[in-house]
Amino acid sequence: MPGQLYVVATPIGNLGDMVPRAVEVLHAVDLIAAEDTRHSGRLLKHLGIDTPLVAYHDHSDERQMGRVLDMLVQGQTVALISDAGTPLISDPGYRLVREARLQDIRVTPIPGACAAIAALSASGLPSDRFSFEGFPPPKTAARVKRFETLAESAQTMIFYESPHRILDTLRDMITTFGPDREAVLAREITKTFETFLTGTLTTILQQVCADSNQQKGEMVVMVKGNVDAVSASEAEQLRILKTLLDDLPVKQAAALAARITGGRKNALYQLALSLRPD
């Protein structure tokens, strides 16, 4: 029987956030595949774990991935960890997990810390709909182009960014999303100097420029969605619904409007009833 690949989340700062199940798995597996063995070695030493450790990341050659897969095919167990947080969430591991699944090897997630979700949960921004965008492109032109494709998005957007690019990224966000777009910058989450800066993109940029300490550490930038885009979408749904009601029964018009616009069928049905109660 094939072995099992565990995708194990590790703390993003505070070692107390390591969940007991993750510790049990790391003790029990035959091998731990880590993004950086030196970094992960310190965590494992802290936890008293002496499981064999090898380097694995998305730039590893095919031979290294092949060695890990061979172990799994032979019935052994492997835990995949990254430097911090949940593997594959803007961290290495996609190729290994995909290949394991293609070979019918069981892949089991061991949930834990994730910087994007931790930041969003404490941001105060809408969290019913959001998109994780990872790291923006490092070059200005490509970064602006990426932001332009997101400018009309109605959902909260979550980005990771490095300290040496944070100022340029905030400036480019102001250019594309607008100076008054609401945003939150979360820095050093779960660590000693954890900070949340809340306001418009302009006020956040001013705060970061004024305090060099805000230009250090791990950063998550969250940008509120375009509220006007929501209004425009609702206006388009109303326009299409009214047109369909000229020729179709209420229930059929609402169902078709939902298919065309991607709107919620029940909400459009209630709206149709209000427009044509008969």
Side-chain angles (χ1 to χ4, degrees):
M1 293 291 292
Q4 190 165 350
L5 175 63
Y6 294 92
V7 182
V8 182
T10 56
I12 57 178
N14 191 320
L15 296 182
D17 293 334
M18 188 73 175
V19 300
R21 186 181 175 210
V23 176
E24 292 173 5
V25 167
L26 294 180
H27 269 294
V29 293
D30 297 303
L31 181 73
I32 298 173
E35 180 181 358
D36 184 328
T37 55
R38 291 171 298 179
H39 181 94
S40 295
R42 292 191 290 271
L43 172 65
L44 298 180
K45 183 177 180 180
H46 172 80
L47 297 171
I49 296 170
D50 57 5
T51 303
L53 185 67
V54 298
Y56 178 81
H57 47 77
D58 279 345
H59 299 294
S60 296
D61 60 27
E62 295 296 326
R63 288 178 299 176
Q64 183 71 324
M65 184 170 70
R67 293 188 192 102
V68 175
L69 287 169
D70 284 345
M71 290 185 65
L72 291 165
V73 170
Q74 292 166 15
Q76 295 182 284
T77 52
V78 177
L80 175 68
I81 62 175
S82 62
D83 285 351
T86 302
L88 278 74
I89 309 302
S90 202
D91 273 328
Y94 160 75
R95 290 170 55 237
L96 178 61
V97 170
R98 178 175 173 79
E99 191 60 35
R101 286 208 170 276
L102 289 174
Q103 296 194 31
D104 292 325
I105 294 166
R106 184 178 177 185
V107 181
T108 301
I110 308 297
C114 175
I117 300 303
L120 179 64
S121 70
S123 69
L125 293 176
S127 57
D128 54 333
R129 294 180 62 217
F130 61 90
S131 62
F132 175 64
E133 302 295 335
F135 283 91
K139 299 291 182 65
T140 300
R143 189 165 55 238
V144 170
K145 186 174 182 180
R146 170 76 65 80
F147 291 160
E148 286 175 345
T149 66
L150 299 170
E152 299 304 314
S153 174
Q155 56 196 7
T156 298
M157 295 163 279
I158 307 173
F159 302 88
Y160 288 165
E161 191 50 285
S162 59
H164 66 278
R165 285 201 294 266
I166 187 62
L167 293 177
D168 289 339
T169 290
L170 288 171
R171 292 186 182 107
D172 291 340
M173 285 180 169
I174 289 171
T175 299
T176 50
F177 298 140
D180 297 324
R181 182 75 72 92
E182 187 178 345
V184 176
L185 170 61
R187 189 180 66 86
E188 294 290 86
I189 300 173
T190 79
K191 300 176 185 176
T192 303
F193 299 104
E194 176 181 282
T195 307
F196 279 77
L197 301 180
T198 303
T200 65
L201 285 167
T202 301
T203 59
I204 290 174
L205 175 61
Q206 291 170 345
Q207 288 176 285
V208 176
C209 285
D211 184 357
S212 60
N213 287 323
Q214 300 303 323
Q215 300 171 36
K216 301 174 183 177
E218 304 291 332
M219 300 182 178
V220 182
V221 183
M222 295 158 286
V223 182
K224 188 176 182 180
N226 187 345
V227 178
D228 293 334
V230 175
S231 299
S233 173
E234 291 174 346
E236 180 66 3
Q237 290 176 18
L238 178 60
R239 184 189 69 80
I240 290 174
L241 182 61
K242 284 182 175 179
T243 301
L244 293 172
L245 284 171
D246 289 339
D247 301 298
L248 297 173
V250 167
K251 188 174 181 179
Q252 189 176 352
L256 187 55
R259 288 175 57 189
I260 293 172
T261 66
R264 292 184 298 145
K265 183 177 178 180
N266 288 342
L268 287 167
Y269 178 71
Q270 295 300 322
L271 179 59
L273 286 177
S274 68
L275 293 172
R276 203 173 75 187
D278 57 321

